[in-house]
Amino acid sequence: MIQLTQPEILLMRKAGQITRDALDYAKTLIKPGISTLDLDIMIKKFIISCGGSPSFLGYEGFPASICASVNEMVVHGIPSKDVVLKEGDIISIDVGVIYKGYNGDAARTFPVGRISSEKAKLIEVTKECFFEGIRHLKVGERLGKLSHAIQVYAEKHGYSVVRELVGHGIGKKMHMSPNVPNYGKETDGPIVVENVCLAIEPMINLGKKEIAMLQDGWGIVTRDHKPSAHYENTVLVTKNGVEILTL
């Protein structure tokens, strides 16, 4: 775990604020008839107008500024003019922002118009998984306590937790150690120290946990084609508790 200085924490807060604001802006855009490419273009412009830059664009070759993952797509959906949102869809928007060399990363799953109660509950429980997890994120404790709490909460509601994709440390790089799984034993993982930033991101499936990658090499979908939801925030862990930088 990389411990941050106070000046670095200030920059992380600003990166987090822009990330949060970009997701709030995204929420105002989502409606039936809009393409995920249009979302990408407008959110990119918004991030730049706030003084940040989209960290996903060009990251390991990713061709867009946001990830836009619809229905059974878990994460890493490439925005496209051919993917047009329709009533009843759900869409996960993942946003990364660089501000003066420091990163914010967060995701939300949004309804498109009126959605089924089944999908609405999945979105809500996925969000609750995050907050259940951070209740157990404390300096001096194993990181596995957070991971275990997320898994238990999701499975208690009849959902499954993706295994192959995890959260991560974040700071001067978007992806840093340690990995932050959404499953596991309470005794797993490193001991949490103060002044570290983590991107915690439950990815919860309505059906089974198994996933598959699309031919584009990016999009990850559920194998059973049932919906998936994603809720992520960048957090700062201090001796006094957890500060959510992207909320």
Side-chain angles (χ1 to χ4, degrees), residues 52-112:
S53 59
S55 56
F56 296 171
L57 185 60
Y59 184 82
E60 295 186 355
F62 190 74
S65 297
I66 65 169
C67 298
S69 307
V70 180
N71 294 330
E72 74 272 15
M73 189 168 289
V74 182
V75 288
H76 303 161
I78 298 174
S80 169
K81 64 179 175 59
D82 297 323
V83 179
V84 178
L85 300 183
K86 62 183 186 298
E87 187 91 10
D89 286 340
I90 61 174
I91 179 169
S92 298
I93 302 290
D94 195 348
V95 171
V97 169
I98 301 171
Y99 178 78
K100 295 187 177 180
Y102 288 81
N103 286 267
D105 189 8
R108 306 281 185 268
T109 301
F110 298 108
V112 182

Side-chain angles (χ1 to χ4, degrees), residues 59 61 64 93 113 147 156 161 220:
Y59 184 82
I93 302 290
S147 304
K156 181 177 75 173
V161 178
I220 302 289

Side-chain angles (χ1 to χ4, degrees), residues 4-78:
L4 301 175
T5 64
Q6 289 305 311
E8 289 178 311
I9 288 171
L10 291 176
L11 294 172
M12 287 295 294
R13 285 194 179 112
K14 181 61 177 178
Q17 288 169 6
I18 298 172
T19 306
R20 174 202 64 202
D21 292 346
L23 283 168
D24 288 345
Y25 176 60
K27 184 177 181 179
T28 70
L29 302 174
I30 292 168
K31 60 185 177 182
I34 194 168
S35 75
T36 54
L37 180 60
D38 287 338
L39 292 173
D40 182 73
I41 291 167
M42 289 186 279
I43 294 168
K44 176 185 177 182
K45 287 180 180 177
F46 181 87
I47 291 169
I48 292 169
S49 76
C50 294
S53 59
S55 56
F56 296 171
L57 185 60
Y59 184 82
E60 295 186 355
F62 190 74
S65 297
I66 65 169
C67 298
S69 307
V70 180
N71 294 330
E72 74 272 15
M73 189 168 289
V74 182
V75 288
H76 303 161
I78 298 174

Side-chain angles (χ1 to χ4, degrees), residues 72-73 75-78 212-221 225:
E72 74 272 15
M73 189 168 289
V75 288
H76 303 161
I78 298 174
M213 181 176 284
L214 298 183
Q215 288 186 343
D216 64 18
W218 284 102
I220 302 289
V221 297
H225 302 293

Side-chain angles (χ1 to χ4, degrees), residues 136 141-152 163 181-190:
H136 301 266
E141 300 282 4
R142 290 279 178 189
L143 187 57
K145 286 198 169 184
L146 171 144
S147 304
H148 180 74
I150 291 172
Q151 179 183 1
V152 168
R163 298 298 199 271
N182 299 304
Y183 62 92
K185 299 175 183 177
E186 289 185 304
T187 52
D188 289 345

Side-chain angles (χ1 to χ4, degrees), residues 187-206:
T187 52
D188 289 345
I191 299 289
V192 178
V193 298
E194 66 178 302
N195 295 340
V196 300
C197 283
L198 303 171
I200 298 164
E201 48 180 320
M203 289 158 274
I204 308 300
N205 296 346
L206 181 66

